Amino acid sequence: MALDIKNILSKNLKVDYEKIVIKGFEEEEEKEVSSNYPKLREWDHKLLSYFKPFYSPLCSLCCLCTYGKCDLSKNRKGGCGINLEKQQARIVLLACCMGAATHTSHARHLLEIALKKNPNLKLKTSRDIQVIAPITTTVTGVKPETVKDLAKILDMIEREITMLLAATHTGQEGDSIDFESKALHAGLLDNMAKEIGELIQISLYDLPFGEEDVHFVEIGLGTIEKEKPVILCIGHNIAPGAAIIDYLEELGIEDKVEVCGLCCTAIDISRYSKRAKIVGPLSRQLTFILSGTADVVVIDEQCIRNDVLEICSSMDIPVIATSEKASFGLPDLTDEEPDKIIRDLLTKKYPGALIRDEDKVGEVAVRLALILKEQKKRIGLDLRDKQVLESIKECTECGWCNRVCPAMLPIKEAMIEAKKGNLEPLSNIYEKCVGCGKCVEFCERNIKLVDLYRVAAKERIKNEKFKVRAGRGPVTDVEIRKVGAPIVFGDIPGVILFAGCDNYYNGNDLPLMAEEFLKRGYIVVATGCSSMAIAFYKDKDGKTLYEKYHGAFDRGGLLNLGPCLANAHAIGAAIKIANIFAKLPLEKNFPEVADYILNRIGVCAVAWGAMSQKAAAIATGANRWGIPVILGPHGSKYRRLYLGEEMLRKIKDRRTGELIDTEPAPLHLIYAAESLNEAIPLIAKLCIRPNDTPKGRLIKLTHYIDLSKKYLGYVPEDIHLYIRNEREIPYQYKEEVKKILKEKGWKPREAPKEPSIL
């Protein structure tokens, strides 16, 4: 700013030997970090004009205010004027806000730990990864370098989640598409929170950061050494488990105590220590606790059974809660000395304790497990298993177990066989059980059925020993440079992400799907419970898929990116293809990047067993980037799908500025498949993009037709929509395809040079 002398004097110029301070000329305040929601809303409305929301209400009642309950069926409106369409969109927004808030709170907790341990912590970097936070940079323009930079972004996320929640209040938002836009925004905020949480824990705990050759981890109930004291960690937060491992190493007894985990905590502690083991995904939680193997159970946050304290108390297993979000009514003993906490738990003054200091959790859990292991007698557990088997004769064959089982398993029939002395059907139930425990709750004879499946499968469980590759973290720029062009042009037919929970009834579904695409040259990445579920399968040579396929982001590679937070790496990889291969700038350039992903990058996500509100946010966040998601049979319970029309789609060719007819690719943004047979060909179809070259389209159509014939028994009837000229017809199916083209009145068409919906 140019100043004259009079101006300077009037502004009180003060001069010293070190510096000049001009009062009255304040520096420009640091700009507030923002996502620019109004601009994102424009993208949402454009996106949803192609992919219409389809609602499948579980309930037509609204009971959220005292006008209610209001019956919204038959086109009725509620007391506030809301109709069923808007109410369903509102409920979806609430679910996505829950999921986003959960990951945001998780990231906030990790941030607080990082600031306490090292307030000047710099984020982990690598010469192979230039943009460490592609989601955050694309949305906000910020390139974070320290944990303090992430604090500003978290402030923004929390502020905007509050706005989204406010929109669900009675008398606020009144349009279903704007409810959906806000749900998409909640999903995007969830993406950012996951990225922030993952960056913090990678940097704070020195976890793998884009490493292809990470170590293998033992997974399965049979891998746990029961002769040692066993500490079971349940949830999603690495901090308590890492503190337990640190304390063991401090004492030099890390090989004397078994530290294992369930759900994403298991993935993270096994990234942190090669000695840690994974019991399995969410579905194994109830079974493992009931086995009595754990001496101490430590819970942190997310995906913890609501009755975990009740079950553990009945088995004299102390529970240590570590988060205000999951306190379970336990006394807060954070400020007590470890000796007193241990004494109170050993004397059963309390069934457990809330300890909000992770270092103290580490000491208490280890010392407690060592003492309890000395007291515990194995004979007691064996006697309990015999009593469980005795309960078989109590069954009255009422059939309630069959009626309430979400997986529709033949439990009653297995019980009838068990009464004859044949336990094999019950053992088979164990393999497919999702671990919800509904059969136990509805049993008129109070038979502990989930425990019974475990006892029946005892010999099978002993051999439940698999290997999973440790979570590797992000995809590197070097890998992106190698595969960017083949993915965009279609030579690599697609990238498949398996994400979310394992709430599905056939334990081999995910391994089967993963291998079907791996052997065809697709890149397969996995996160969370899905990454674990893929490991629960061995081929005839005794190898899991992780041992059979390489771990690079390249043709035929199988990558375990890490926990649920690591879903951010999958989206980040798509963003980096747009940035590195197509040279698209990232900073505050969301619509352009998302439009590129939608029309040019053949990526499809599969959330086959999605169960939680977090999974709803994860899927909806992927949708906003233009990434299609396939849900499993239970997915329709989320109430909303985004469906496209099976007809030629008008989009813009930005090179010519013309609107042109092109294939409906991807056909849907989110779809619930009813069976594995329906899902597998659909995955191949949802990897087709308008940008495919003739060679790339030929490759993709070969897989689409081949998988349709293999799993559905016929050439897909919509094949005419995806063939632009006869050179793209797979040779081996030429006659069948030409017949369909003739019946449909097909005509050749030009492919767009630069496809876009903007």
Side-chain angles (χ1 to χ4, degrees):
M1 180 181 291
L3 304 175
D4 57 31
I5 297 299
K6 291 181 180 179
N7 220 3
I8 290 175
L9 292 173
S10 69
K11 294 298 180 179
N12 186 18
L13 177 65
K14 175 183 175 183
V15 181
D16 63 23
Y17 294 104
E18 300 291 332
K19 57 188 177 182
I20 296 176
V21 178
I22 304 178
K23 294 183 179 179
F25 291 94
E26 299 175 357
E27 292 183 6
E28 184 181 353
E29 290 186 7
E30 187 176 348
K31 289 183 178 179
E32 189 177 75
V33 178
S34 170
S35 69
N36 194 359
Y37 173 68
K39 184 178 179 182
L40 298 175
R41 177 176 175 262
E42 292 177 10
W43 163 256
D44 298 337
H45 280 249
K46 176 66 74 172
L47 188 68
L48 296 178
S49 69
Y50 288 92
F51 304 97
K52 308 288 187 184
F54 174 84
Y55 299 105
S56 54
L58 284 178
C59 174
S60 60
L61 298 177
C62 178
C63 309
L64 293 181
C65 78
T66 59
Y67 276 139
K69 52 187 179 180
C70 293
D71 183 353
L72 305 180
S73 64
K74 300 179 181 178
N75 294 318
R76 298 186 185 98
K77 295 179 183 177
C80 70
I82 200 167
N83 63 21
L84 188 56
E85 180 185 39
K86 296 173 188 177
Q87 173 65 2
Q88 294 307 301
R90 180 191 191 192
I91 294 296
V92 170
L93 171 56
L94 276 169
C96 290
C97 283
M98 289 181 192
T102 300
H103 283 135
T104 303
S105 179
H106 183 180
R108 174 63 69 179
H109 187 195
L110 289 169
L111 176 67
E112 290 169 354
I113 293 170
L115 291 174
K116 180 178 70 173
K117 290 183 179 292
N118 183 359
N120 298 312
L121 179 68
K122 290 186 177 181
L123 300 177
K124 196 169 185 178
T125 58
S126 164
R127 66 180 183 179
D128 293 333
I129 300 175
Q130 295 300 309
V131 180
I132 61 172
I135 296 173
T136 297
T137 300
T138 304
V139 176
T140 69
V142 176
K143 293 182 177 179
E145 296 178 357
T146 68
V147 289
K148 289 182 179 177
D149 294 334
L150 296 179
K152 301 168 190 173
I153 301 161
L154 265 182
D155 289 343
M156 179 217 78
I157 295 171
E158 290 162 346
R159 186 170 64 247
E160 297 199 4
I161 289 175
T162 302
M163 179 274 287
L164 298 177
L165 277 170
T168 67
H169 191 278
T170 303
Q172 291 271 51
E173 184 56 75
D175 180 77
S176 61
I177 295 298
D178 271 323
F179 271 127
E180 292 294 351
S181 171
K182 290 174 173 65
L184 289 166
H185 195 55
L188 181 62
L189 296 175
D190 179 73
N191 292 164
M192 294 173 66
K194 292 196 296 285
E195 183 175 72
I196 289 170
E198 176 75 342
L199 279 174
I200 294 171
Q201 64 182 15
I202 284 174
S203 303
L204 184 60
Y205 296 103
D206 194 24
L207 305 181
F209 190 59
E211 298 173 22
E212 176 185 334
D213 295 320
V214 285
H215 61 278
F216 282 97
V217 180
E218 292 184 83
I219 181 172
L221 274 69
T223 67
I224 309 304
E225 297 181 48
K226 300 177 182 179
E227 298 74 22
K228 297 179 181 179
V230 177
I231 301 173
L232 172 65
C233 301
I234 305 176
H236 283 248
N237 197 316
I238 188 176
I244 290 167
I245 291 165
D246 288 345
Y247 188 73
L248 286 169
E249 291 179 351
E250 185 182 317
L251 296 180
I253 58 170
E254 59 269 28
D255 59 337
K256 306 295 184 186
V257 176
E258 194 82 311
V259 180
C260 57
L262 277 156
C263 229
C264 286
T265 288
I267 294 178
D268 281 333
I269 62 174
S270 63
R271 291 205 280 180
Y272 185 63
S273 169
K274 293 181 180 180
R275 292 183 180 276
K277 294 178 181 176
I278 300 174
V279 174
L282 179 66
S283 59
R284 291 291 194 262
Q285 187 172 158
L286 182 57
T287 301
F288 189 70
I289 295 173
L290 287 171
S291 73
T293 301
D295 296 293
V296 176
V297 170
V298 177
I299 58 175
D300 47 79
E301 58 178 294
Q302 305 167 42
C303 299
I304 306 160
R305 279 192 64 90
N306 206 261
D307 56 357
V308 67
L309 179 62
E310 175 189 336
I311 296 169
C312 288
S313 296
S314 71
M315 304 182 70
D316 292 330
I317 302 172
V319 174
I320 299 176
T322 61
S323 169
E324 298 98 328
K325 288 166 279 187
S327 303
F328 280 76
L330 293 170
D332 190 341
L333 305 183
T334 304
D335 297 329
E336 300 288 350
E337 291 298 317
D339 286 347
K340 185 178 185 306
I341 298 173
I342 293 168
R343 185 167 59 251
D344 287 346
L345 295 180
L346 287 174
T347 59
K348 300 181 183 177
K349 181 178 180 180
Y350 308 116
L354 170 62
I355 306 175
R356 293 174 289 102
D357 180 330
E358 64 274 5
D359 294 326
K360 191 172 288 186
V361 169
E363 179 179 349
V364 170
V366 170
R367 290 176 56 191
L368 194 59
L370 289 167
I371 296 170
L372 287 171
K373 193 63 181 181
E374 288 296 315
Q375 295 178 353
K376 186 185 276 187
K377 293 182 179 179
R378 184 73 219 169
I379 189 171
L381 292 178
D382 291 338
L383 177 61
R384 183 173 170 277
D385 287 352
K386 289 180 181 178
Q387 291 171 343
V388 169
L389 286 174
E390 284 292 315
S391 68
I392 292 173
K393 61 187 179 185
E394 298 293 323
C395 177
T396 61
E397 303 174 23
C398 67
W400 269 108
C401 49
N402 281 17
R403 287 193 284 275
V404 300
C405 177
M408 297 181 287
L409 299 176
I411 303 170
K412 185 185 84 170
E413 291 74 13
M415 288 296 287
I416 292 171
E417 285 298 308
K419 286 199 284 187
K420 298 175 184 176
N422 178 15
L423 296 180
E424 186 64 21
L426 277 178
S427 177
N428 293 335
I429 295 288
Y430 164 78
E431 288 286 326
K432 298 181 178 181
C433 176
V434 298
C436 68
K438 284 186 178 181
C439 53
V440 177
E441 293 303 312
F442 280 83
C443 179
E444 296 177 345
R445 307 300 296 175
N446 199 30
I447 300 171
K448 307 301 181 188
L449 287 161
V450 174
D451 215 10
L452 190 53
Y453 312 149
R454 175 190 62 81
V455 176
K458 212 166 185 179
E459 291 305 311
R460 186 176 294 188
I461 289 172
K462 286 180 182 177
N463 297 313
E464 191 176 280
K465 300 177 181 180
F466 304 92
K467 287 186 179 180
V468 58
R469 206 174 273 116
R472 57 161 278 169
V475 176
T476 68
D477 297 0
V478 174
E479 290 171 305
I480 295 294
R481 288 190 185 96
K482 184 177 179 181
V483 301
I487 290 173
V488 171
F489 295 142
D491 293 354
I492 291 178
V495 180
I496 316 296
L497 164 64
F498 289 99
C501 326
D502 66 327
N503 179 31
Y504 59 91
Y505 69 91
N506 187 350
N508 286 334
D509 276 3
L510 283 191
L512 195 155
M513 281 193 274
E515 184 158 38
E516 187 66 75
F517 289 98
L518 284 166
K519 64 189 181 184
R520 292 172 181 271
Y522 289 72
I523 299 172
V524 175
V525 299
T527 60
C529 283
S530 289
S531 69
M532 292 181 263
I534 287 173
F536 278 76
Y537 166 81
K538 289 180 180 178
D539 65 12
K540 57 181 174 53
D541 297 320
K543 289 185 177 182
T544 67
L545 295 184
Y546 289 102
E547 296 170 285
K548 191 173 178 180
Y549 294 92
H550 66 82
F553 192 76
D554 201 349
R555 188 186 307 273
L558 173 59
L559 292 69
N560 176 11
L561 297 179
C564 281
L565 295 181
N567 280 295
H569 299 317
I571 291 173
I575 294 169
K576 289 200 285 187
I577 290 173
N579 175 234
I580 294 171
F581 171 70
K583 309 299 183 186
L584 277 181
L586 296 186
E587 293 84 350
K588 293 188 175 182
N589 199 25
F590 179 90
E592 290 286 345
V593 173
D595 184 61
Y596 188 92
I597 293 171
L598 174 69
N599 288 290
R600 307 195 194 197
I601 300 178
V603 56
C604 176
V606 181
W608 194 240
M611 172 276 297
S612 66
Q613 292 85 13
K614 290 190 309 167
I618 290 168
T620 305
N623 291 158
R624 201 184 210 183
W625 292 96
I627 297 173
V629 178
I630 297 175
L631 304 172
H634 291 296
S636 61
K637 296 176 186 176
Y638 281 121
R639 298 177 173 85
R640 185 264 288 128
L641 306 173
Y642 290 144
L643 305 182
E645 295 183 81
E646 291 196 56
M647 57 187 294
L648 292 179
R649 179 179 294 166
K650 281 198 179 295
I651 64 173
K652 182 182 286 187
D653 187 335
R654 298 182 82 173
R655 187 173 297 182
T656 63
E658 296 177 347
L659 283 175
I660 62 169
D661 287 329
T662 189
E663 53 280 294
L667 177 58
H668 305 303
L669 265 190
I670 189 161
Y671 180 86
E674 290 297 319
S675 68
L676 183 89
N677 287 16
E678 181 186 13
I680 290 179
L682 183 59
I683 293 170
K685 180 162 72 172
L686 291 184
C687 287
I688 296 172
R689 292 295 181 275
N691 196 68
D692 298 336
T693 63
K695 178 185 174 184
R697 181 60 59 85
L698 173 66
I699 292 169
K700 291 185 179 184
L701 290 180
T702 299
H703 294 305
Y704 177 37
I705 297 172
D706 188 43
L707 291 168
S708 294
K709 286 181 72 70
K710 180 176 179 179
Y711 289 96
L712 298 174
Y714 52 81
V715 173
E717 295 180 0
D718 63 354
I719 195 67
H720 63 291
L721 296 174
Y722 299 95
I723 295 174
R724 297 169 299 196
N725 60 68
E726 291 193 11
R727 289 178 298 162
E728 297 173 349
I729 302 174
Y731 179 78
Q732 60 269 46
Y733 302 117
K734 201 159 192 174
E735 294 306 315
E736 292 175 273
V737 170
K738 278 190 167 185
K739 183 179 178 182
I740 293 174
L741 296 184
K742 185 177 181 180
E743 291 172 355
K744 299 290 185 178
W746 171 86
K747 293 180 181 179
R749 63 178 188 276
E750 290 294 319
K753 304 295 187 297
E754 294 184 30
S756 171
I757 66 168
L758 292 176

